[in-house]
């Protein structure tokens, strides 16, 4: 049923009085009126041209409109209260004092969200935490006020009563069966994958040398220069328009529909140019909360994350612990490889399943390895959720397999380029999942990079570890 | 003293989702003057994907990039798209855009065929013209055909299509199957200076040879690689989110979370490897994510080459490299024989954690 | 509330705002000049860079009290109805920006550099951009464009096609 829109009589006094004053004269035209189309955009055939981007000129003029550059009449500003505790039970949230503040128009908590869970695979992430806090960046309440300043001040007035619990922070701890479940009764291991090919133990027995190594990577943030932002506008037909920094609007709409319990036809999601994504803007964040605040107030509501929230409350890159064991011949040919990956999955699943799968499949490297056993686990910890980030686990496993490769080359006295050429995929090679590969140019890339760089083998006094 | 080292790393990387369907749809409308509009549900997040999609559409229609206007990212207006993720836009959405443009083009061919006195299958579109294959002088301007399509034949040239990479489910026990439609390959070689007293690492130069299938727009490919390498330098040397013993964030700000500035970014030489993927639009695959995949490994190998310590945990901060150097000095005498490098690696591993 | 009057892009503007308002918020929220971006609000990223009396500053660090009567140049004031400013032209040509969010700040820092030093070396350019974070580009194509723009500003011909 359509909501009755709230009638706004007169904006109250606190509401940016200067907006009511006549604006200074509009600036002169700040861009050339004559359109000059760069050559690359005019040439045919179009493919292969160094065509400049259509938005390039707008970027340079400061005219690209990002979400935070959009203003609507009567717009409210929202802020989200963060738990600041890694693991806790929420006993009570008292929003009365905040609600009573002049300039605060509405406050919501997780209890106001019709279906408080979402996620691209496991739906284990709340829009706002209602009964449990799973990491320090969890939101517990959202405030809409007439100014950002007032919304920020109101967060201080929200009183949350927590029962603090011991967090699980180490992924290897989390992997142990006796460790209490982060999301008990669910197990801490929430994803597992195996790639198995040939007989790895037999290969090790037949190898001239067997090498082992353990490698670790850290948690990394995407740091898009534009922090997450969205504006929600609920209209009288019960339809909501959401302007958001989302990289995946189709999925975003499905998540908003699910969390709000309204049909997709009542949701419009618009993404303008996103100011950097790198995987960090691939699922909804505050959209459902903003939609509800807009519904509650009858006014457009804008939310822009602070830089700090970008770190604490958006997804990050999975830290990995990677054990490698590789059997080789004297000549450096890889006969078998065994890999174990443990992914720190953070507080929520997010894109962990994809990351787990890609990391596991790619972990052997671009090499022909007939005997392979790769196993990967992803576990919950009470840390910021890890999700999609440029490479989905590939930069982590590449760090491991390529460091390991150089260790092997060094020990066998083989040039790093040679050992790679000896093992690298060819056209038609079978991947670790026995997929027949096409358009394979790994050797070409090795040779081209070596040539361009001027790689001339080790032992020439440059690459022997003694410096130039 | 500063010591110079060089290290390489190669990689492979898939395009699209792991097995899971990740379709894109697209709509192409040719205007009465032969320019066109592409509707896509993907989002421009900086990579230049809309420019790439315009180029693909333009190529199929035989017009220029600037003739294609792209409408994107509005669930009310644009067709379904899995989105700007998994390095899939050029390959998946690109294929959809090409196929949609092809359908619109076929309508134009149907309209033009009787006018040129041939069958539609004998026509080709290039350089703003629709012409008879082998007889380029028998042609019509695409705008004239499009206008004729609207005002005379009543057949507005609109095409829609969708694409989903071909995959096969993985066996749950062995993981065997065909998880992805295609893969890209790359090698990066890094040159670094390591200060053997402070442990500070400076990346001087990175050569990056990347395969992306056909480079639809070499300038945008370079841009992706340059940005990816910079991000890889941060991953290798500086960036790390830290938590205290209670799990609270220690450095949730850009003052204490260090990422590459213009001063830390090396000279980056981009080299595009010739390749052609018959399953991609005009032979293209993708390039977004793989650009940072080998960087950290190449840098770690270069550090080893420079000072002989194996960094086994990232980031290789000055402090960590310094500690590893100390550990190496302390046990220098033991390092003889073939296995030494690995023994060294193991002990460094413990030392730096 | 404080009253502030200053010159922005050659025009006199004034507003009445709370004293804790930063120059960035003043430009964005009061004058609708949204070209300058907010990336961190604490002086770490440079997305808000504008030129105040000839000096590049992080406008998120300047309070309205500090800008009374001063001359502010923002990204909106660089081009005119006839021409793009050379930096803008070359940034477009070289595809120097990707998501573009850092762009206005980077271009203002570069403009301040070129005003001081018409023929900067790569190192000097890297130095000048040291306070402007960019996550997308690796800075490479920006440096190329700044070099090209410096040629144009010196009255020389700019290398428009990249010599790869
Ligand atoms: S917003 Fe001013 S420096 Fe980041
Ligand atoms: S272009 Fe995206 S941050 Fe610089």
């Amino acid at each position: 049923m359509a909501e009755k829109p709230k009638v706004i009589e007169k904006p109250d006094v606190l509401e940016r009085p200067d907006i009511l004053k006549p604006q200074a004269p509009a600036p002169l035209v700040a861009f050339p009126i004559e359109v000059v189309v760069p050559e690359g955009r005019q040439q045919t055939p179009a493919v292969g041209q160094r065509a400049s981007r259509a938005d390039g000129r707008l970027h340079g003029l400061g005219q690209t409109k990002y979400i935070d550059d959009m203003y609507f009449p009567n717009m409210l500003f929202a802020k989200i209260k963060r738990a600041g505790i890694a693991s806790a039970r929420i006993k009570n949230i008292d929003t009365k004092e905040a609600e009573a503040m002049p300039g605060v128009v509405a406050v919501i908590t997780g209890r106001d969200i019709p279906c408080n869970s979402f996620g691209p695979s496991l739906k284990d992430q709340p829009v706002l935490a209602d009964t449990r806090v799973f990491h320090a960046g969890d939101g517990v309440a959202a405030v809409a006020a007439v100014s950002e300043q007032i919304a920020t001040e109101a967060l201080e007035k929200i009183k949350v009563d927590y029962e603090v619990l011991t967090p699980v922070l180490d992924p290897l701890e989390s992997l142990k069966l006796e460790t209490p479940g982060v999301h008990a009764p669910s197990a801490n291991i929430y994803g597992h994958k195996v790639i198995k090919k040939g007989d790895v133990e037999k290969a090790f027995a037949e190898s001239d040398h067997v090498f082992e190594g353990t490698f670790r990577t850290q948690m990394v943030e995407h740091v898009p220069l534009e922090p997450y932002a969205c504006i929600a506008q609920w209209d009288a037909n019960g339809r909501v328009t959401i302007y958001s920094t989302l990289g995946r609007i189709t999925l975003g709409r499905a998540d908003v529909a699910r969390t709000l319990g309204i049909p997709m036809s009542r949701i419009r999601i618009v993404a303008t140019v996103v100011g950097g994504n790198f995987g960090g803007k691939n699922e909804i964040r505050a959209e459902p909360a903003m939609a509800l605040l807009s519904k509650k107030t009858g006014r457009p509501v804008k939310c822009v994350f602070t830089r700090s929230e970008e770190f604490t409350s958006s997804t990050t890159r999975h830290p990995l612990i990677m054990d490698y064991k590789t059997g080789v011949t004297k000549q450096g040919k890889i006969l078998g490889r065994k890999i174990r990956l443990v992914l720190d999955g953070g507080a929520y699943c997010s894109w962990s399943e994809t990351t787990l799968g890609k990391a596991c499949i790619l972990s052997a490297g671009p090499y022909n390895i007939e005997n392979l056993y790769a196993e990967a686990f992803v576990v919950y910890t009470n840390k910021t959720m890890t999700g999609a980030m440029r490479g989905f686990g590939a930069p982590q496993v590449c760090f491991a397999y390529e460091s390991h490769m150089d260790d092997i080359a060094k020990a066998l006295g083989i040039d790093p380029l040679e050992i790679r050429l000896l093992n690298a995929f060819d056209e038609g090679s079978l991947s670790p999942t026995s997929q027949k590969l096409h358009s394979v140019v790994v050797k070409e890339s090795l040779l081209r990079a070596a040539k361009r760089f001027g790689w001339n083998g080790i032992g020439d006094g440059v690459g022997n570890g003694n410096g130039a | 003293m500063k010591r110079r080292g060089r290290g390489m790393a190669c990689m492979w990387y898939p395009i699209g989702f792991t097995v899971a369907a990740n379709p894109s749809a697209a709509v192409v409308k040719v205007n009465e003057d032969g320019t066109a509009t592409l509707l896509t549900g993907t989002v421009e997040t900086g990579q230049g994907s809309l420019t790439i999609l315009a180029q693909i559409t333009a190529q199929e229609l035989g017009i220029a990039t600037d003739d294609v206007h792209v409408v994107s990212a509005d669930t009310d207006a644009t067709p379904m798209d899995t989105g700007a993720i998994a390095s899939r836009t050029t390959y998946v959405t690109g294929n959809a855009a090409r196929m949609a443009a092809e359908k619109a083009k076929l309508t134009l061919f149907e309209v033009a065929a009787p006018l040129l006195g041939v069958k539609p299958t004998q026509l080709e579109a290039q350089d703003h013209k629709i012409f008879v294959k082998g007889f380029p002088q028998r042609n019509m301007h695409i705008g004239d055909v499009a206008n004729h399509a609207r005002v005379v034949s009543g057949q507005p040239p609109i095409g829609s299509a969708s694409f989903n990479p071909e995959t096969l489910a993985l066996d749950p026990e062995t993981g065997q199957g065909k998880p992805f439609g295609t893969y890209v390959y790359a090698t990066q070689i890094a040159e670094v200076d390591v200060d053997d007293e402070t442990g500070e690492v400076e990346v001087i130069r990175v050569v990056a040879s990347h395969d992306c299938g056909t480079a639809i727009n070499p300038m945008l490919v370079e841009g992706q690689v340059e940005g990816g390498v910079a991000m890889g330098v941060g991953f290798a040397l500086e960036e790390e989110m830290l938590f205290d013993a209670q799990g609270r964030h220690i450095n949730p700000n850009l003052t204490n979370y260090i990422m590459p500035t213009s001063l830390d970014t090396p000279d980056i030489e981009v080299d595009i490897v010739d390749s052609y993927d018959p399953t991609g639009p005009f032979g293209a695959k993708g390039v977004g994510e793989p650009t940072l995949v080998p960087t950290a490994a190449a840098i770690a190998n270069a550090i080893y080459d420079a000072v002989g310590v194996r960094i086994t945990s990232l980031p290789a901060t000055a402090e960590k490299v310094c500690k590893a150097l100390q550990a190496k000095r302390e046990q220098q005498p033991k390092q003889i024989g073939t296995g030494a490098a690995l023994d060294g690696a193991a002990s460094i591993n413990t030392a730096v954690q | 509330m404080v009253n502030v009057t200053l010159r922005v892009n050659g025009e006199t503007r004034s507003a009445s705002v709370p004293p804790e308002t930063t120059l960035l918020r003043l430009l964005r929220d009061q004058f609708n000049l949204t070209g300058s971006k907010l990336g961190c609000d604490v002086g770490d990223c440079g997305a808000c860079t504008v030129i105040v009396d000839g000096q590049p500053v992080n406008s998120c660090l300047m309070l309205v009290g500090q800008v009374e009567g001063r001359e502010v140049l923002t990204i909106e004031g660089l081009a005119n109805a006839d021409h793009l400013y050379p930096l803008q032209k070359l940034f477009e040509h070289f595809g120097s920006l990707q998501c573009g969010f850092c762009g206005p700040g980077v271009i203002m820092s570069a403009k301040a550099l070129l005003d001081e030093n018409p023929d900067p070396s790569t190192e000097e350019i890297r130095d000048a951009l040291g306070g402007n974070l960019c996550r997308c580009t690796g800075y490479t194509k920006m440096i190329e464009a700044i070099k090209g723009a410096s040629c144009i500003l010196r009255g020389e011909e700019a290398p428009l096609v990249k010599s790869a």
Side-chain angles (χ1 to χ4, degrees):
Chain A
M1 222 187 72
E3 287 285 313
K4 191 169 170 246
K6 202 168 169 181
V7 181
I8 309 297
E9 314 248 277
K10 235 186 260 163
D12 67 63
V13 210
L14 272 157
E15 190 158 279
R16 308 164 143 248
D18 26 77
I19 272 183
L20 303 175
K21 289 188 201 147
Q23 280 287 312
L28 295 173
V29 176
F31 55 87
I33 296 166
E34 224 55 74
V35 176
V36 183
V37 181
E39 221 184 304
R41 295 183 59 80
Q42 294 187 63
Q43 282 154 347
T44 54
V47 162
Q49 300 293 344
R50 301 177 70 86
S52 56
R53 333 162 40 107
D55 53 14
R57 180 170 315 180
L58 304 185
H59 285 350
L61 285 160
Q63 288 185 348
T64 303
K65 287 274 175 264
Y66 303 89
I67 305 295
D68 193 21
D69 301 334
M70 300 166 62
Y71 295 77
F72 292 97
N74 259 321
M75 191 164 77
L76 298 172
F77 300 85
K79 285 281 164 199
I80 296 169
K81 176 148 182 102
R82 302 292 168 188
I85 300 175
S87 179
R89 202 169 315 252
I90 300 175
K91 296 205 284 200
N92 186 43
I93 304 178
D94 183 356
T95 58
K96 277 192 216 74
E97 213 184 315
E99 272 161 309
M101 268 177 72
V104 169
V105 187
V107 181
I108 58 165
T109 66
R111 287 167 212 269
D112 296 306
I113 316 274
C115 172
N116 196 9
S117 72
F118 69 95
S121 41
L122 300 182
K123 313 264 180 238
D124 58 358
Q125 187 167 173
V127 176
L128 292 171
D130 44 14
T131 55
R132 281 286 317 268
V133 167
F134 294 108
H135 74 104
D138 264 338
V140 291
V143 178
V146 294
S147 78
E148 223 176 320
Q149 185 66 33
I150 295 174
T152 308
E153 283 163 20
L155 296 184
E156 303 295 314
K157 302 270 165 71
I158 296 173
K159 298 279 171 287
V160 189
D161 201 358
Y162 295 108
E163 178 193 337
V164 179
L165 306 170
T166 314
V168 178
L169 300 173
D170 181 353
L172 292 181
E173 257 327 288
S174 176
L175 194 63
K176 292 182 189 153
L177 288 177
E178 65 270 23
T179 306
V182 169
H183 285 269
S186 302
N188 278 341
I189 301 175
Y190 64 93
H192 175 230
K193 192 167 199 84
V194 173
I195 311 277
K196 198 158 54 176
K197 211 176 149 180
D199 184 341
V200 76
E201 296 306 331
K202 190 161 157 258
F204 288 152
E206 287 165 4
S207 297
D208 295 326
H209 302 278
V210 176
F211 295 92
E212 285 184 74
T214 294
F215 303 89
R216 284 171 172 260
T217 59
Q218 76 280 35
M219 186 182 277
V220 168
E221 156 62 20
H222 308 79
V223 198
L225 256 274
E226 176 199 33
Y228 166 88
C230 87
I231 300 172
Q233 198 165 13
W234 197 284
D235 76 11
N237 288 326
R239 206 164 187 271
V240 63
T241 300
I242 298 174
Y243 301 87
S244 170
T245 53
L246 256 180
R248 299 191 63 203
I249 55 169
T250 307
L251 174 84
R253 186 177 62 171
D255 281 339
V256 171
R258 177 191 147 88
T259 49
L260 297 183
I262 59 173
M264 289 189 189
S265 59
R266 293 229 172 126
I267 302 164
R268 177 185 181 202
I269 298 192
V270 183
T272 59
V273 173
V274 175
N277 175 357
F278 316 111
K281 290 169 175 166
N282 280 334
E283 64 202 290
I284 57 162
R285 298 253 75 87
E287 286 85 350
M290 294 311 119
L292 287 178
L293 283 171
S294 177
K295 180 181 179 186
K296 221 171 158 178
T297 60
R299 297 165 69 167
V301 180
K302 182 196 262 188
C303 173
V304 180
F305 275 14
T306 60
R307 181 52 63 187
S308 157
E309 281 176 296
E310 234 354 274
F311 281 95
T312 62
S313 310
S314 81
T315 54
T316 59
R317 186 186 286 293
H318 291 78
L320 258 70
I321 299 155
M322 303 167 279
D323 295 323
Y324 274 70
K325 185 172 178 184
T326 303
V328 292
T329 65
K330 280 201 278 292
Q331 293 75 28
K333 179 94 191 112
I334 300 176
L335 297 183
R337 177 167 276 179
K338 194 170 174 181
I339 301 157
R340 186 184 86 147
L341 309 175
V342 178
L343 284 74
D344 182 344
Y348 305 114
C349 176
S350 181
W351 289 92
S352 288
E353 286 200 353
T354 314
T355 310
L356 175 84
K358 281 199 182 177
C360 194
I361 293 167
L362 301 173
S363 64
Y367 303 116
N368 291 306
I369 302 176
E370 272 166 32
N371 303 292
L372 177 72
Y373 185 85
E375 186 168 25
F377 303 88
V378 59
V379 294
Y380 283 125
T381 55
N382 291 107
K383 289 190 281 189
T384 310
M385 58 277 181
T386 45
M389 184 168 175
R390 204 177 197 175
F392 284 103
Q396 295 96 313
V397 295
C398 182
F399 165 64
Y401 65 71
E402 287 299 79
S403 296
H404 191 47
M405 198 64 156
D406 263 29
D407 280 344
I408 297 170
K410 174 84 185 168
L412 299 178
I414 304 173
D415 184 85
L417 177 62
E418 288 308 318
I419 196 165
R420 287 177 172 82
L421 289 172
L422 180 67
N423 290 288
F425 288 146
D426 293 295
E427 186 69 22
S429 283
L430 294 182
S431 77
T433 68
S434 299
Q435 173 173 0
K436 191 166 178 213
L437 300 171
H438 68 270
S439 319
V440 179
V441 288
V442 59
K443 286 185 180 167
E444 285 81 345
S445 83
L446 276 161
L447 291 167
R448 286 181 66 120
K451 185 165 175 219
R452 175 84 177 248
F453 185 86
W455 186 272
N456 44 7
I458 49 167
D460 58 355
V462 182
N464 58 5
N466 291 331
Chain B
M1 195 179 111
K2 278 197 177 168
R3 293 176 181 272
R4 184 153 291 190
R6 314 163 312 154
M8 67 166 57
C10 62
M11 68 108 226
W12 62 313
Y13 194 78
I15 301 298
F17 279 13
T18 321
V19 181
N22 62 117
S24 286
V27 175
V28 170
K29 310 187 282 182
V30 179
N31 303 319
E32 296 92 291
D33 61 356
T35 60
T37 305
L38 165 70
L39 269 62
T40 166
T42 196
V43 180
E44 174 64 66
T45 66
Q47 341 81 308
S49 52
L50 300 191
T51 308
I52 297 291
L53 295 174
Q55 283 180 275
I56 289 171
T57 306
Q59 177 78 10
E60 186 63 32
L61 293 170
I63 55 181
T65 312
D66 205 60
D67 297 326
V68 180
H69 175 67
V70 184
V71 176
S72 74
D74 181 340
T75 54
D76 271 10
T78 57
M80 185 274 151
D81 196 289
T82 303
I85 187 170
S87 301
R88 57 181 293 288
T89 307
T90 300
Y91 184 76
V92 185
T93 311
N95 262 324
R98 193 202 63 72
M99 289 153 66
E102 187 181 29
K103 285 194 183 162
K105 185 176 78 174
L106 291 180
T107 305
L108 291 172
F109 284 179
E110 266 170 44
V111 170
L115 301 173
L116 290 164
V118 292
K119 288 199 211 95
T121 48
Q122 289 170 280
L123 292 173
E124 222 174 292
Q126 224 176 1
D127 219 1
H128 304 98
K129 292 189 187 74
I130 288 175
F131 63 92
V132 182
K133 274 181 210 163
F135 303 92
Q137 67 283 11
R138 281 176 66 192
N139 68 64
M140 284 181 76
H141 190 273
I142 183 172
D144 295 336
V145 179
N147 192 46
H148 194 92
R150 190 183 71 84
V151 299
V152 185
S153 344
Q155 283 174 277
I158 298 179
S160 71
S162 67
F163 181 82
N164 184 41
E166 198 196 307
T167 59
L168 270 180
L170 302 183
D171 180 287
E173 258 179 33
T174 62
Q176 301 294 295
K178 185 186 177 206
F180 303 103
T182 191
Y183 300 78
V184 295
Y185 306 88
T187 299
Q188 290 183 8
I189 306 183
E191 188 161 25
V192 303
D193 271 349
V194 184
D195 187 316
D196 62 6
E197 275 143 42
T198 63
E200 205 168 315
V201 180
E202 188 188 350
V203 185
I204 310 287
R205 177 178 172 228
V206 171
V207 169
S209 288
H210 279 259
D211 155 38
C212 57
T214 300
I216 301 284
N217 185 329
M219 182 161 84
L220 295 180
V221 173
E222 289 161 13
Q224 284 297 294
V225 178
E226 290 157 359
V229 168
M231 199 178 252
V233 169
F235 179 52
L237 302 179
E238 302 169 329
E239 299 180 34
E240 179 165 23
M241 280 177 67
L242 300 166
F243 294 85
D244 68 12
Q246 277 77 49
R248 287 172 306 207
H249 301 84
I250 292 176
N251 59 345
N253 52 62
L254 293 168
T255 317
N256 299 311
Y257 180 94
I258 311 298
M259 61 172 265
T261 67
S262 54
L263 300 165
D264 317 314
T265 308
D267 284 334
I268 302 162
E269 294 172 38
V270 183
D271 174 61
I272 302 175
V273 180
D274 291 326
S275 108
Y276 184 92
D277 187 326
T279 66
F282 304 106
K285 302 199 252 189
V287 78
E289 298 172 275
T291 54
L292 97 151
V293 171
T295 313
I299 291 171
N301 286 339
I303 295 173
Y304 186 88
D305 185 46
V307 291
V309 299
R310 170 57 63 200
I311 296 299
T312 56
S313 84
L314 295 182
T317 56
E319 204 190 347
K320 206 179 271 179
V321 175
C322 194
K323 264 194 191 163
L325 279 164
Q326 250 164 13
K328 185 193 166 204
R329 271 182 221 118
E330 277 158 24
Q331 52 156 270
Q332 194 82 354
K334 281 186 248 159
Q335 285 208 1
I336 323 157
T338 4
L342 286 175
D343 295 347
S347 59
I348 289 150
N349 193 359
T350 11
V352 293
Q353 276 161 25
Chain C
M1 290 287 173
V2 293
N3 293 318
V4 57
T5 302
L6 69 166
R7 281 175 69 76
V8 181
N9 301 334
E11 285 174 58
T12 304
R13 310 286 293 257
S14 45
S16 166
V17 290
E20 68 273 15
T21 307
T22 60
L23 172 58
L24 177 62
R25 302 273 183 177
L26 180 73
L27 293 169
R28 289 180 56 86
D29 299 346
Q30 305 301 317
F31 300 156
N32 299 329
L33 295 170
T34 55
S36 312
K37 304 298 175 202
L38 189 152
C40 69
D41 221 11
V42 292
D44 285 332
C45 75
C48 62
T49 308
V50 299
I51 295 178
V52 177
D53 293 335
Q55 290 301 314
V57 300
N58 288 330
S59 61
C60 70
L61 291 183
M62 239 183 181
L63 293 176
V64 279
Q66 300 167 280
V67 295
E68 177 65 35
R70 299 180 76 172
E71 182 84 45
V72 176
L73 181 68
T74 74
I75 190 75
E76 287 91 347
L78 273 192
N80 60 33
D82 292 324
H83 299 290
L84 286 172
Y85 190 70
L87 280 165
Q88 296 171 316
K89 181 171 171 193
L90 274 99
F91 268 60
E92 176 187 5
H93 177 87
F94 284 113
S96 303
L97 297 173
Q98 292 179 22
C99 81
F101 202 79
C102 67
V106 167
I107 290 176
M108 294 317 281
S109 289
K111 148 99 178 137
L113 168 72
L114 296 183
D115 287 349
E116 283 260 300
N117 177 354
D119 191 8
S121 67
T122 303
E123 282 322 302
E124 287 167 328
I125 296 174
R126 284 191 187 276
D127 271 339
L129 299 187
N132 292 89
L133 293 178
C134 171
R135 191 54 149 174
C136 302
T137 67
Y139 310 94
T140 311
K141 291 193 180 334
M142 293 177 180
I143 295 170
E144 256 170 58
I146 295 169
K147 284 222 163 133
S150 77
C151 294
I152 297 184
L153 287 165
R154 291 197 307 273
E156 292 162 22
E157 211 169 300
L160 274 188
V161 179
K162 189 194 148 157
S163 50

